[in-house]
Amino acid sequence: MVSSGGFVSLLHSLGLVQGLFKPVPNQYAVTSQPTEAKLAFPSSTDASPGKNAQLLASANFPGIADQLNRVSVDCTVQPYDAPDLGAPSFPPYDSAKANVYRYRQQQSVNLGSWFVHERWMTPSLFLCATGDQASELDIASGWGSLDSARSLLERHWDTFINASDFQYLSGIGINTVRLPVGYWNLGPAFCQGTPFEAVASVYQNSWVRVIRAINMASDAGLGVLVDLHGAPGSQNGQPHSGISDGDANLFDDDWYINKTITVLTYLTEQLADVSNVVGIQLLNEPKNVESLPDFYTQAISAMRQVNTAAKNLALYVHDGFDLDQYSDFVANRSDFVVLDHHSYFVFTSADETEPASQHTKDVQGPIAASLAAASARQRRNLVVDEFSCALTYQSLAGEPHTDQARKEFCQGQMEIYHNETAGWAFWAYNKEDCFDDPGWCFKAAVGRSLPSSFFSYGKGPVADPSHLPALADMAADMCSSPEDIVAMHPNVTDRSSDPALFFDVSFLPVDRRNHHRPSRRSGAMHQQAVWKNRRDTTHQLPLDPSQRAISKGYSDGFLTAKVFALYGMSKLGFTGQYISDSIAKLGPEVVAPGTEQYYEDWFLEGLADGEALISASVDSSSAT
């Protein structure tokens, strides 16, 4: 008799460690179309299970299937008295915190197989699933009864990840988590009319646990991207969307389209004014059907209309593995819409055989160039929200030092994604047999394939950033709390006579005879920024529109660097969107038409100076 807890060991003993992969783009062309999924079993345990794997032993390996069939499996689920979480709520909305969390550079991990299950990650939950034993629906329909399936899943929700995990992540510099959910996690009402209707009662206590997850992240100072990983009708027909029949029905059925938009507007209604929710992802890895852009447009419009807070909430869309097409989609919008691209190197035949060192060169060369071009085109509203350290046995076989090759590959990815986009998210934080799998499990990769910490300023944690000299003087000069400072920017309509700070631009090398782009200051001039406390409200910004835009841009950029650092030593990440939103809210009285480029250029100057000052302060404090 084999228990569910021992099932993973059984799989390893039978060699079932790899399976059917989801389609992913070719490593050379970030914009290429997805390849056909395929079955591949590696010859070494060094190669880790693929994302969204299915174990298809019965169809492809009848000898192994016979061995499994002879194993007597214990499908008994011990009753689980799940704690009653009551009617949980979110803390009051803090616009200061929300602005920082939503616009900052993201160092993130995916909390995969917590609320949306994938067999290769949590195989013990599939031991007594029904049907193909491949998807969430198969788990909920199995285990002998609905009560047993609910006990199994509720125990998993309560134990797979807990508050200590969020504290650990915060303590090593991770500032965001991506939380995959399925529409079924919203509760029984959302299961009606879908394949989950018959198992709806299994999810009666699911949504309160999603809320708890968001609040646990908040307590640790982490933002949360809520990702609709499984949509009604399925956006891609793959098991990670909740079903195992292979059908992607979402885009062919108006009922499913409307149902999905209902799910998304509910998420928006519940989460738009939650301080640490950085955004909502509309769909995970949808099929790039012709109607996908129209679906995105329709859904975004509906979500923006939910309430006032929804108008400024970041909404994430996946590129359907066509980076160029959806980069244009985002670039043609002015609102806060972010493109998500996923990057893996183990799924195509070319990936399987290419040496790890060449994969690293690909990342640093053509892939970096493709990401940089897309990022520049769309105001840096780009993230790589799924990547891993996984490489095949063949990719590592020819490397003289396999551990070093994997480390260079993984850290090379992280560096490029950090430099060229507004953030990255490792897939995934946890899985069964995690510490045997540094390719796919973040906890195992930290300190091995990945660095030991991920702080934006390189060092941390800083117990109280306001005590750093570079930040303490700001608080004193501003005569305001950090929260008040952030709240003023960018959520105000007119700061042209802001009495708190004024930047003296009289020394700037601007040719007043024309309005050409001003020359950049030298390194020495960077240190001449003079910040003064101006309590005389009659001291206005310069009357000359160009000088006014320069003054305001530099001061706002410098201030932004400091304010973001007050929140977990964060840095601005969605830079172009932040500048665009700031200009819109300042209005033409402050940034006159035709001077927007002055504001943007000098905002970036001020931001760079502020971050350099903070970095020097961190280094100095660490040295003492």
Side-chain angles (χ1 to χ4, degrees):
M1 188 74 70
V2 178
S3 67
S4 60
F7 187 54
V8 179
S9 298
L10 171 65
L11 295 179
H12 278 281
S13 68
L14 295 176
L16 296 178
V17 292
Q18 188 92 342
L20 185 66
F21 304 124
K22 66 180 179 182
V24 293
N26 181 277
Q27 78 272 20
Y28 291 106
V30 180
T31 59
S32 67
Q33 293 297 316
T35 61
E36 291 299 319
K38 61 191 180 302
L39 186 69
F41 284 79
S43 56
S44 167
T45 56
D46 187 76
S48 306
K51 173 84 168 67
N52 301 321
Q54 301 175 58
L55 301 175
L56 300 181
S58 59
N60 296 277
F61 297 88
I64 293 176
D66 289 342
Q67 294 181 57
L68 283 175
N69 290 333
R70 289 196 295 269
V71 174
S72 178
V73 175
D74 182 5
C75 292
T76 302
V77 177
Q78 295 300 318
Y80 178 63
D81 187 14
D84 184 359
L85 301 184
S89 60
F90 295 110
Y93 182 64
D94 181 341
S95 62
K97 178 186 291 186
N99 278 335
V100 173
Y101 281 30
R102 292 173 182 181
Y103 286 99
R104 69 184 174 185
Q105 184 78 24
Q106 295 175 2
Q107 296 94 237
S108 182
V109 296
N110 283 275
L111 305 183
S113 225
W114 192 7
F115 292 100
V116 179
H117 291 96
E118 306 190 25
R119 180 169 178 168
W120 68 275
M121 295 182 67
T122 49
S124 66
L125 297 181
F126 289 84
L127 179 59
C128 296
T130 59
D132 292 334
Q133 297 184 319
S135 69
E136 179 84 22
L137 183 60
D138 297 337
I139 298 174
S141 303
W143 294 94
S145 70
L146 295 179
D147 286 342
S148 292
R150 181 162 64 89
S151 291
L152 180 83
L153 289 176
E154 287 180 349
R155 180 182 286 108
H156 177 81
W157 299 332
D158 289 346
T159 58
F160 188 64
I161 294 171
N162 54 46
S164 65
D165 293 293
F166 291 104
Q167 295 296 334
Y168 162 72
L169 290 170
S170 177
I172 60 173
I174 296 298
N175 63 22
T176 307
V177 294
R178 181 171 179 254
L179 180 63
V181 299
Y183 68 91
W184 53 88
N185 293 123
L186 277 60
F190 290 89
C191 297
Q192 302 308 306
T194 77
F196 279 81
E197 181 171 356
V199 297
S201 63
V202 172
Y203 298 95
Q204 59 188 295
N205 294 321
S206 176
W207 179 244
V208 295
R209 281 161 171 78
V210 173
I211 295 175
R212 181 182 62 182
I214 295 170
N215 283 336
M216 287 192 296
S218 178
D219 292 341
L222 301 179
V224 179
L225 171 61
V226 177
D227 154 43
L228 185 59
H229 220 70
S234 179
Q235 72 276 15
N236 54 29
Q238 295 191 37
H240 68 72
S241 69
I243 50 84
S244 53
D245 59 13
D247 295 332
N249 295 316
L250 168 58
F251 304 108
D252 298 326
D253 190 315
D254 288 342
W255 190 90
Y256 278 131
I257 290 173
N258 293 331
K259 182 79 169 181
T260 300
I261 292 177
T262 297
V263 169
L264 291 168
T265 54
Y266 178 81
L267 288 172
T268 305
E269 178 185 296
Q270 296 295 307
L271 304 175
D273 59 357
V274 178
S275 305
N276 73 311
V277 170
V278 304
I280 297 171
Q281 181 155 359
L282 276 64
L283 296 173
N284 175 70
E285 298 181 351
K287 292 184 69 173
N288 189 16
V289 297
E290 185 178 356
S291 62
L292 180 59
D294 290 339
F295 173 84
Y296 279 157
T297 299
Q298 182 182 355
I300 290 170
S301 177
M303 296 167 77
R304 292 283 185 228
Q305 296 176 38
V306 166
N307 53 36
T308 301
K311 297 184 185 304
N312 299 313
L313 179 66
L315 301 178
Y316 289 60
V317 296
H318 186 265
D319 64 7
F321 299 113
D322 189 333
L323 181 61
D324 282 345
Q325 177 183 355
Y326 290 92
S327 179
D328 289 340
F329 176 86
V330 172
N332 289 330
R333 301 186 64 94
S334 61
D335 57 334
F336 200 171
V337 174
V338 179
L339 187 63
D340 175 24
H341 176 74
H342 295 174
S343 186
Y344 293 116
F345 297 84
V346 293
F347 299 130
T348 69
S349 56
D351 283 339
E352 290 175 2
T353 57
E354 183 171 301
S357 55
Q358 184 59 48
H359 280 312
T360 304
K361 292 177 182 178
D362 292 340
V363 170
Q364 295 169 337
I367 291 175
S370 295
L371 293 173
S375 186
R377 186 162 55 239
Q378 59 194 64
R379 305 180 304 283
R380 211 165 189 266
N381 285 6
L382 176 66
V383 293
V384 178
D385 264 356
E386 286 191 24
F387 86 101
S388 78
C389 298
L391 290 162
T392 66
Y393 170 78
Q394 295 96 318
S395 289
L396 290 167
E399 300 292 343
H401 305 288
T402 56
D403 289 345
Q404 183 63 25
R406 189 196 293 276
K407 182 177 181 179
E408 291 174 357
F409 164 72
C410 200
Q411 296 192 20
Q413 286 188 87
M414 193 183 74
E415 180 181 0
I416 292 300
Y417 304 155
H418 173 84
N419 291 339
E420 306 301 347
T421 79
W424 48 259
F426 188 94
W427 187 281
Y429 173 66
N430 194 17
K431 64 183 288 290
E432 294 178 10
D433 278 2
C434 170
F435 290 100
D436 294 330
D437 195 354
W440 288 103
C441 191
F442 180 81
K443 292 191 295 183
V446 170
R448 296 166 68 182
S449 304
L450 290 171
S452 297
S453 64
F454 307 87
F455 296 99
S456 294
Y457 283 94
K459 294 183 176 66
V462 178
D464 188 351
S466 68
H467 288 169
L468 289 172
L471 302 179
D473 78 300
M474 182 195 73
D477 285 346
M478 290 296 296
C479 298
S480 303
S481 69
E483 290 77 10
D484 291 338
I485 297 169
V486 186
M488 287 190 296
H489 182 71
N491 287 338
V492 294
T493 57
D494 185 6
R495 289 180 56 219
S496 62
S497 59
D498 180 359
L501 287 176
F502 181 76
F503 175 55
D504 185 351
V505 296
S506 60
F507 66 88
L508 291 182
V510 179
D511 186 347
R512 298 175 184 276
R513 292 170 298 177
N514 59 59
H515 289 169
H516 295 306
R517 176 174 174 170
S519 61
R520 298 295 178 126
R521 295 167 295 149
S522 66
M525 291 291 283
H526 279 200
Q527 307 306 314
Q528 298 183 31
V530 181
W531 287 86
K532 297 180 180 179
N533 187 17
R534 302 287 188 177
R535 292 182 174 82
D536 181 2
T537 59
T538 63
H539 195 124
Q540 302 293 321
L541 288 170
L543 295 178
D544 177 79
S546 299
Q547 289 291 321
R548 185 164 65 244
I550 291 168
S551 170
K552 198 74 176 99
Y554 187 94
S555 64
D556 284 356
F558 194 87
L559 175 62
T560 295
K562 289 191 166 189
V563 188
F564 273 60
L566 287 174
Y567 287 85
M569 298 302 294
S570 301
K571 288 185 178 180
L572 179 62
F574 294 94
T575 312
Q577 188 68 49
Y578 188 87
I579 292 172
S580 176
D581 290 347
S582 296
I583 291 173
K585 290 173 180 176
L586 288 168
E589 297 82 6
V590 178
V591 182
T595 67
E596 295 90 351
Q597 192 63 51
Y598 286 108
Y599 180 92
E600 179 178 350
D601 288 345
W602 288 91
F603 181 102
L604 294 174
E605 290 277 353
L607 182 70
D609 285 356
E611 290 180 350
L613 182 64
I614 295 163
S615 183
S617 183
V618 171
D619 290 341
S620 176
S621 297
S622 299
T624 57

